[in-house]
Amino acid sequence: MNIVVCVKYVPDATADRGFDSGDRTVDRSNVPGLLSELDEYAIEAALQLADAGDAEVTVLTVGPSDAADAVKKSLQMGAHKGVHVLDDAIHGSDAIGTSLVLAKAIEKIGAAAPVDLVVCGMASTDGSMSVVPAMIAERLSLPQVTFASALEVSADSVRGRRDGETATETVEASLPAVVSVTDQANEPRYPSFKAIMAAKKKPVETWSLRDIDVDSAAVGLAAAWTAVDSYEQRPPRQKGTVVTDEGEGGRALVAFLAEQKFV
């Protein structure tokens, strides 16, 4: 089985993120980046399938030069090889442009051996749109099973369990297919020292837009269907109110909650 996992290099969610003052895109130069945490569940899902049978896992990312770190972490977790689509023209692409690049790259990966399964995280921790997996499936004319909290793959189909607030449903699709998994699907493995050293010898290819036959005019900020009109910094946190219990603490707490219209 040939499995492709789409991963993303994102700004650290715990850092003070902002926007580039010039083109109003996310500022990635002044914020540390890392592999999107939600993508680790997609990698783990693919690796579990590989552990259970004969499968090769390729990680695919689109982004600036620093995005190579996302591929590196994926290989350290156990993926077999990586592909990094790197091109200055991609800067500013929205979900539509990104899905085009990913779909074309998947087609190129599948030229050597047909891709049986494309696995994605449920969302990226920076954009949080959750639409790219569905867009990839549409571009590749493949069935999709999204937001799966559990996966079962047979020789010719994939089954995903969706856990909702009031019900659980099972969705099945024939292979090849595109799936996305939630953060309930598994527990991502931590790279061992042996795996970290082995990752240094695993192959990683870097492709440009020309390599995957994508017109630069179809991606980037100028081709984006969405744009940031304005932004402002998050206001600083206000100092909290301390209720000291000296016998009347309960009354003071209720009065505070009533004043804030919480009760």
Side-chain angles (χ1 to χ4, degrees):
M1 177 175 286
N2 190 10
I3 304 174
V4 175
V5 183
C6 299
V7 301
K8 188 176 183 182
Y9 183 76
V10 299
D12 189 343
T14 63
D16 188 13
R17 295 179 291 177
F19 289 87
D20 188 295
S21 59
D23 57 14
R24 295 193 292 273
T25 58
V26 176
D27 180 11
R28 300 179 183 276
S29 59
N30 297 312
V31 180
L34 72 172
L35 168 67
S36 179
E37 295 176 357
L38 293 175
D39 288 341
E40 293 188 13
Y41 298 92
I43 298 168
E44 179 61 30
L47 294 178
Q48 288 183 8
L49 293 174
D51 292 341
D54 184 17
E56 182 175 68
V57 178
T58 302
V59 290
L60 167 63
T61 194
V62 176
S65 57
D66 288 345
D69 288 344
V71 175
K72 179 180 178 181
K73 174 67 179 295
S74 303
L75 297 178
Q76 291 174 347
M77 290 180 66
H80 301 97
K81 59 183 181 180
V83 173
H84 180 191
V85 182
L86 172 63
D87 198 301
D88 290 341
I90 299 174
H91 173 73
S93 294
D94 59 359
I96 294 177
T98 300
S99 67
L100 172 62
V101 176
L102 288 170
K104 287 292 189 179
I106 292 169
E107 288 180 345
K108 183 176 174 65
I109 293 171
V115 175
D116 301 292
L117 190 65
V118 179
V119 188
C120 306
M122 61 184 290
S124 63
T125 55
D126 56 349
S128 302
M129 295 184 67
S130 301
V131 297
V132 170
M135 290 180 173
I136 294 174
E138 181 68 18
R139 291 187 182 278
L140 296 176
S141 298
L142 295 178
Q144 56 179 289
V145 177
T146 54
F147 296 102
S149 56
L151 281 180
E152 295 179 13
V153 178
S154 64
D156 57 3
S157 66
V158 56
R159 291 164 57 94
R161 190 189 75 222
R162 286 176 172 173
D163 295 326
E165 294 183 0
T166 59
T168 296
E169 62 179 358
T170 300
V171 181
E172 183 174 352
S174 59
L175 294 178
V178 177
V179 302
S180 69
V181 297
T182 71
D183 54 358
Q184 302 300 310
N186 50 57
E187 186 66 33
R189 65 193 67 186
Y190 190 81
S192 64
F193 177 76
K194 181 178 179 180
I196 292 174
M197 298 304 295
K200 297 180 179 181
K201 298 181 180 179
K202 294 179 179 179
V204 177
E205 294 188 56
T206 302
W207 296 342
S208 66
L209 290 178
R210 178 176 295 182
D211 293 327
I212 57 175
D213 195 26
V214 172
D215 185 352
S216 60
V219 297
L221 190 61
W225 288 46
T226 58
V228 176
D229 291 328
S230 63
Y231 64 90
E232 60 184 27
Q233 294 294 329
R234 180 188 307 170
R237 295 184 61 179
Q238 301 296 320
K239 184 178 180 180
T241 300
V242 178
V243 176
T244 303
D245 187 5
E246 296 179 349
E248 295 294 325
R251 293 180 181 273
L253 180 59
V254 171
F256 172 78
L257 294 175
E259 180 183 352
Q260 300 297 319
K261 298 182 179 180
F262 291 144
V263 295

